[in-house]
């Protein structure tokens, strides 16, 4: 076994041990969701088990190192939700502190490569919301969880994007195109997931498709509908339109279920690599979709 493969093998063993040490089922599922996303292959433009997609600064190993760094914080997000009695604004402020600590751990593990900043934002909100609902003895289904996230994030876009100076990529793209990115998706209660991704996921499983086929179809549906700011930052509006149109075509042709689905998606992958396009925002939503599917 090569040194690279040996490192990956050891990391996966360590991640399994970490999962066993997590005390909340929600945190355990969240870690598995992050692994499901990185292991889905092919994944056009994105890091997967076969290549680094459109990225030159990260790999499968980088992602596994990142997940290992993030894992202990998954329980912290959930526990904060269970224990905090703060109102929404104070709740969000203190949750952000834990999120920043998690980001710092990620950057240390990846040598300052941003592998999971969007996922930390999403799972921090979702796990804390789940913890809050648990403490209040409320129903734990994806609809209630997403409603809780929307309630927590009410006004976030207006507070953080409308009044911004346009210093970050997300702020600049909001001012230029009106795309609200991860903040807008959270404030909406993850409408892309509840409207497109989860119905697709459940229907595919109901029809007997494998989890891999189901996740591919879900991925394509997200690609086709998400105004992914990661794509726009690298490929502009033309890049976004290309990804949406190509994904819609593959959806219409039911390519995720075709005997040569891997080859079709590998071709899409090569196109995005050539165009230097990475649908990173949708990658986070794939993981969140898989997680929320466990709360029907």
């Amino acid at each position: 076994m090569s040194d690279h493969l040996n490192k990956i093998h050891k990391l996966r063993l360590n991640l399994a041990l970490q999962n066993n040490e997590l005390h909340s089922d929600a945190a355990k599922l969240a870690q598995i969701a992050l692994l499901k996303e990185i292991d889905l292959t092919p994944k056009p433009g994105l890091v997967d088990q076969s290549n680094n997609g459109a990225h030159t600064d990260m790999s499968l190993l980088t992602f596994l190192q990142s997940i290992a760094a993030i894992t202990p914080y998954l329980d912290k997000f959930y526990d904060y939700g269970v224990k905090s009695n703060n109102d929404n604004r104070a709740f969000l402020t203190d949750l952000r502190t834990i999120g920043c600590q998690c980001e710092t751990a990620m950057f240390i593990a990846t040598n300052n490569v941003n592998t999971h900043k969007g996922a930390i934002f999403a799972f921090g909100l979702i796990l804390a919301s789940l913890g809050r609902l648990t403490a209040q003895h409320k129903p734990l289904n994806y609809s209630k969880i997403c409603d809780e996230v929307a309630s927590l994030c009410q006004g976030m876009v207006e507070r953080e994007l409308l009044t911004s100076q346009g210093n970050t990529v997300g702020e600049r793209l909001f001012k230029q195109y009106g795309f609200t990115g991860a903040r807008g998706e959270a404030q909406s209660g993850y409408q892309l997931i509840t409207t497109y991704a989860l119905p697709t996921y459940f229907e595919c499983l109901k029809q007997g498709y494998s989890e891999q086929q189901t996740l591919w179809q879900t991925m394509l549906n997200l690609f086709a509908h998400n105004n992914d700011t990661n794509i726009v930052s690298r490929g502009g509006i033309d890049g976004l339109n290309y990804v949406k149109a190509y994904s819609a075509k593959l959806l219409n042709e039911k390519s995720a279920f075709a005997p040569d689905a891997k080859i079709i998606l590998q071709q899409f992958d090569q196109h995005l690599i050539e165009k230097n396009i990475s649908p990173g925002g949708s990658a986070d939503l794939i993981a969140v979709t898989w997680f929320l599917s466990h709360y029907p």
Side-chain angles (χ1 to χ4, degrees), residues 209-281:
Y209 292 111
S210 69
E211 183 177 75
Q212 183 183 57
Q213 291 171 312
T214 295
L215 285 172
W216 280 338
Q217 183 76 347
T218 302
M219 172 189 72
L220 290 172
N221 218 331
L222 286 167
F223 284 5
H225 292 96
N226 186 14
N227 288 326
D228 192 329
T229 52
N230 286 266
I231 295 174
V232 181
S233 68
R234 296 167 71 113
I237 290 296
D238 287 344
L240 179 64
N241 290 337
Y242 176 82
V243 172
K244 283 186 168 185
Y246 201 119
S247 301
K249 175 178 176 290
L250 296 186
L251 281 173
N252 290 335
E253 295 172 354
K254 302 187 186 303
S255 297
F257 314 129
D260 58 345
K262 285 187 178 180
I263 296 173
I264 293 170
L265 291 171
Q266 284 167 351
Q267 291 171 343
F268 191 9
D269 187 28
Q270 284 305 309
H271 293 322
L272 295 194
I273 290 170
E274 290 166 8
K275 293 176 180 292
N276 193 34
I277 289 174
S278 170

Side-chain angles (χ1 to χ4, degrees), residues 93-290:
T93 298
D94 290 345
L95 179 60
R96 192 185 297 269
T97 300
I98 303 171
C100 289
Q101 293 168 354
C102 185
E103 280 185 19
T104 298
M106 174 197 74
F107 282 125
I108 291 171
T110 63
N111 196 24
N112 291 319
V113 175
N114 174 15
T115 44
H116 284 109
K117 191 170 181 178
I120 291 168
F121 176 75
F123 278 105
L125 287 168
I126 288 168
L127 287 169
S129 295
L130 226 168
R132 200 183 205 192
L133 291 170
T134 300
Q136 295 171 355
H137 306 289
K138 292 183 177 178
L140 302 181
N141 56 62
Y142 75 81
S143 179
K144 295 295 184 184
I145 296 167
C146 289
D147 285 348
E148 187 68 19
V149 171
S151 176
L152 281 175
C153 296
Q154 186 177 11
M156 179 183 286
V157 169
E158 291 74 16
R159 289 194 305 273
E160 299 185 13
L161 291 179
L162 279 177
T163 60
S164 74
Q165 300 301 309
N167 295 324
T168 69
V169 172
E171 291 168 356
R172 178 173 56 80
L173 293 179
F174 175 74
K175 289 189 177 297
Q176 193 170 359
Y177 301 113
F179 294 156
T180 56
R183 294 179 182 89
E185 190 56 24
Q187 185 169 303
S188 77
Y190 291 101
Q191 283 188 8
L192 276 174
I193 291 177
T194 58
T195 303
Y196 299 107
L198 276 172
T200 296
Y201 187 89
F202 289 134
E203 183 60 28
C204 289
L205 289 183
K206 182 180 176 182
Q207 291 183 20
Y209 292 111
S210 69
E211 183 177 75
Q212 183 183 57
Q213 291 171 312
T214 295
L215 285 172
W216 280 338
Q217 183 76 347
T218 302
M219 172 189 72
L220 290 172
N221 218 331
L222 286 167
F223 284 5
H225 292 96
N226 186 14
N227 288 326
D228 192 329
T229 52
N230 286 266
I231 295 174
V232 181
S233 68
R234 296 167 71 113
I237 290 296
D238 287 344
L240 179 64
N241 290 337
Y242 176 82
V243 172
K244 283 186 168 185
Y246 201 119
S247 301
K249 175 178 176 290
L250 296 186
L251 281 173
N252 290 335
E253 295 172 354
K254 302 187 186 303
S255 297
F257 314 129
D260 58 345
K262 285 187 178 180
I263 296 173
I264 293 170
L265 291 171
Q266 284 167 351
Q267 291 171 343
F268 191 9
D269 187 28
Q270 284 305 309
H271 293 322
L272 295 194
I273 290 170
E274 290 166 8
K275 293 176 180 292
N276 193 34
I277 289 174
S278 170
S282 291
D284 298 330
L285 299 181
I286 293 168
V288 173
T289 299
W290 187 89

Side-chain angles (χ1 to χ4, degrees), residues 12-166:
R12 288 193 183 276
L13 289 176
N14 179 54
L15 284 162
L17 290 172
Q18 281 186 297
N19 192 278
N20 288 333
E21 292 169 358
L22 293 169
H23 62 259
S24 72
D25 290 339
K28 291 176 188 286
L29 271 177
Q31 190 219 46
I32 296 170
L34 294 172
L35 289 169
K36 290 284 183 182
E37 185 278 317
I38 190 59
D39 284 340
L40 182 64
T41 305
K43 205 161 63 260
L46 298 162
V47 176
D48 57 27
Q49 294 186 76
S50 66
N51 63 44
N52 300 340
H55 298 276
T56 58
D57 60 344
M58 60 184 77
S59 65
L60 175 61
L61 181 62
T62 319
F63 269 80
L64 294 176
Q65 291 168 330
S66 178
I67 294 170
I70 290 168
T71 295
Y73 290 89
L74 300 176
D75 261 339
K76 292 181 181 182
F77 290 135
Y78 177 81
D79 289 345
Y80 173 73
V82 170
K83 297 172 183 176
S84 175
N85 292 316
N86 290 337
D87 61 33
N88 282 1
R89 288 292 293 275
F91 186 95
L92 202 57
T93 298
D94 290 345
L95 179 60
R96 192 185 297 269
T97 300
I98 303 171
C100 289
Q101 293 168 354
C102 185
E103 280 185 19
T104 298
M106 174 197 74
F107 282 125
I108 291 171
T110 63
N111 196 24
N112 291 319
V113 175
N114 174 15
T115 44
H116 284 109
K117 191 170 181 178
I120 291 168
F121 176 75
F123 278 105
L125 287 168
I126 288 168
L127 287 169
S129 295
L130 226 168
R132 200 183 205 192
L133 291 170
T134 300
Q136 295 171 355
H137 306 289
K138 292 183 177 178
L140 302 181
N141 56 62
Y142 75 81
S143 179
K144 295 295 184 184
I145 296 167
C146 289
D147 285 348
E148 187 68 19
V149 171
S151 176
L152 281 175
C153 296
Q154 186 177 11
M156 179 183 286
V157 169
E158 291 74 16
R159 289 194 305 273
E160 299 185 13
L161 291 179
L162 279 177
T163 60
S164 74
Q165 300 301 309

